[in-house]
Amino acid sequence: MKNVPQAGRLSSRMSAPWSFVFIALPYLALPHPVSAQTTGGGYAEADIRLPRLGGHTFIPTEHVPNPFIKTFLRNSVGIGKALDVNIPVIEIDTVEVLGLQGDLIFANLDFEYQQAIASWLAVRAQFRIVGRLGSGVQALLTQGITAATGFEFGWLFKLFTSNRTMLSGELKLANRRYTAISIERFVDDIINGNPASLVRNVPATRGGGGLRFAWAISPAFGLVANGGTGYGESVTRTSDSEWFYDFGIAVDADLGVLTAVPIGFVLSYDLDSFPEGGEDITGDVQSLGLSIAYTGRPQFSFSIDIFGALTPLRNQESSKTTGTTINLRYFF
C-alpha cells in the first residue's frame, strides 16, 4: 500500500542508513598492495582475513551466520516499510473511530563482536535495537510503537573441517526487553475491566544452540547454512515459555575471481519462529535477501542488503515488508 503524503517523511528516514555509506567510502578508496602470489581478488593467500575455504573467499551476510572461527567487528543499520499492511477500522465499544490510513516503518541497529580465543573456539557478543511504528494516525493507533533492545552472548566451536567444508556448533544466551505503546489495547483493557497500561514492558530470556555449515563450491561460489533451536520466555505477556527455531541458507558469488571487478553477490533465505518485532507478530517470519558487496579488501567487508519479508501480524494476514541494510564488518 502506497501512501503519497508519507513519502517525504519516509525519505528523510531513509537518508540515515545511506549516509552510513559515506563513512566507508574514504577507506574503500585507499590504494592496496598486490602480491606476486595472489588470489583472484589480487591478494596473497596469507593476507586474506575474510572467511576462506577451498580457494573461495566467503562474502559474509547478517541473515545467515557462518561457521568460521574468526575475530571481527560488525555494525549494521537498516530501515524498511510494510508494503500492503491492512489497517483495520478502529472500534471502541462497537463504535467505529475513523482515522487516516498509514503504513508501518521498521528500523534496526546492530553491533556484534566475535573473538577467536583458539583455533577451534570463539566467543561473541551482540547488541541489537529493533523498532517499529505506524506512520499515520490510524496505523499509529492500531499498531502503536514497538521497540526491542537486548544482548546476546554465544560460543562458536569447530566440529569438522576439510579442504572445502566446515561444520561448527554454537551455544547462545539472549536477554531482550520488548517495549510496546498501544493506545488501542490500552482502551480495550479499560473497557474490559483489565489492568490497563499504555506502555508495556516484557522481558524475554532464552537460550539455545545450533549448527553452522560452509561449503566452497568453487573459487567463485560458496554456500553457508545454519539451523538452531532453543527454549525461552515468550514476548506475549499471557503466554508460557516456548520452543523456538530458526533456519537460513545463503549462496554467494565472488565476481572478483572471474573478472577484475571487486563485486560480489549473496542470495539468502531465512526462517525465524522467534522474531524480535514484538508480541503482535503471530507466526514465523520468512525473509529473502540480496546483498551487493565490495570485495576489494582482504580484511574488510562492506555490503548493501535489499530484503523482503513476510511478517504475520495480529488481526490481519501476513504483511509484505521491504527494506535496505548497510553492513560493515572488519576482520582482525
Side-chain angles (χ1 to χ4, degrees), residues 10 21 36 68 76 107 116 157 184 200 249 256 270 284:
L10 179 62
V21 176
F68 295 95
S76 65
F157 46 94
E184 181 186 23
R200 182 179 303 161
I249 186 170
D270 180 65
D284 300 348

Side-chain angles (χ1 to χ4, degrees), residues 64-261:
V64 183
N66 63 62
F68 295 95
I69 309 299
K70 294 280 188 177
T71 299
F72 67 83
L73 178 65
R74 178 177 69 88
N75 175 216
S76 65
V77 57
I79 192 167
K81 179 182 178 182
L83 298 177
D84 61 345
V85 63
N86 181 25
I87 305 298
V89 176
I90 303 173
E91 291 187 2
I92 299 180
D93 198 17
T94 70
V95 177
E96 291 187 356
V97 179
L98 299 179
L100 299 175
Q101 290 291 90
D103 299 318
L104 292 179
I105 295 176
F106 300 80
N108 71 277
L109 178 64
D110 205 350
F111 295 94
E112 181 182 9
Y113 178 74
Q114 178 173 294
Q115 174 68 51
I117 58 178
S119 62
W120 60 273
L121 179 65
V123 295
R124 49 179 290 270
Q126 181 180 3
F127 174 72
R128 184 174 177 85
I129 301 175
V130 179
R132 191 196 70 203
L133 74 155
S135 61
V137 175
Q138 191 160 326
L140 190 60
L141 291 175
T142 58
Q143 301 298 325
I145 301 174
T146 302
T149 61
F151 294 90
E152 180 175 296
F153 298 93
W155 298 262
L156 185 67
F157 46 94
K158 187 186 301 183
L159 297 175
F160 171 81
T161 183
S162 69
N163 183 47
R164 297 172 59 186
T165 61
M166 178 178 289
L167 178 67
S168 295
E170 68 168 332
L171 296 174
K172 56 185 176 181
L173 179 66
N175 181 268
R176 315 285 189 192
R177 175 168 292 274
Y178 298 84
T179 302
I181 302 176
S182 177
I183 300 175
E184 181 186 23
R185 275 176 285 185
F186 175 70
V187 175
D188 286 341
D189 287 340
I190 294 177
I191 294 175
N192 297 326
N194 298 324
S197 176
L198 182 61
V199 180
R200 182 179 303 161
N201 292 296
V202 181
T205 301
R206 55 174 176 162
L211 297 174
R212 300 183 183 184
F213 174 75
W215 173 31
I217 303 173
S218 70
F221 298 95
L223 179 146
V224 295
N226 81 294
T229 186
Y231 187 77
E233 296 174 319
S234 171
V235 298
T236 304
R237 60 176 180 172
T238 57
S239 299
D240 297 327
S241 296
E242 59 186 2
W243 287 93
F244 61 89
Y245 55 86
D246 65 276
F247 168 79
I249 186 170
V251 177
D252 68 75
D254 185 3
L255 297 186
V257 175
L258 305 175
T259 68
V261 180

Side-chain angles (χ1 to χ4, degrees), residues 247-321:
F247 168 79
I249 186 170
V251 177
D252 68 75
D254 185 3
L255 297 186
V257 175
L258 305 175
T259 68
V261 180
I263 297 294
F265 298 91
V266 184
L267 183 63
S268 63
Y269 170 81
D270 180 65
L271 174 68
D272 194 347
S273 69
F274 198 105
E276 299 180 340
E279 63 178 346
D280 59 345
I281 298 179
T282 59
D284 300 348
V285 174
Q286 302 182 65
S287 60
L288 186 67
L290 174 63
S291 302
I292 305 172
Y294 173 77
T295 60
R297 290 290 172 179
Q299 77 285 2
F300 180 76
S301 174
F302 169 73
S303 66
I304 299 175
D305 296 353
I306 303 170
F307 66 88
L310 289 176
T311 306
L313 297 176
R314 180 173 55 90
N315 296 330
Q316 59 184 296
E317 298 179 356
S318 294
S319 172
K320 297 182 179 66
T321 304

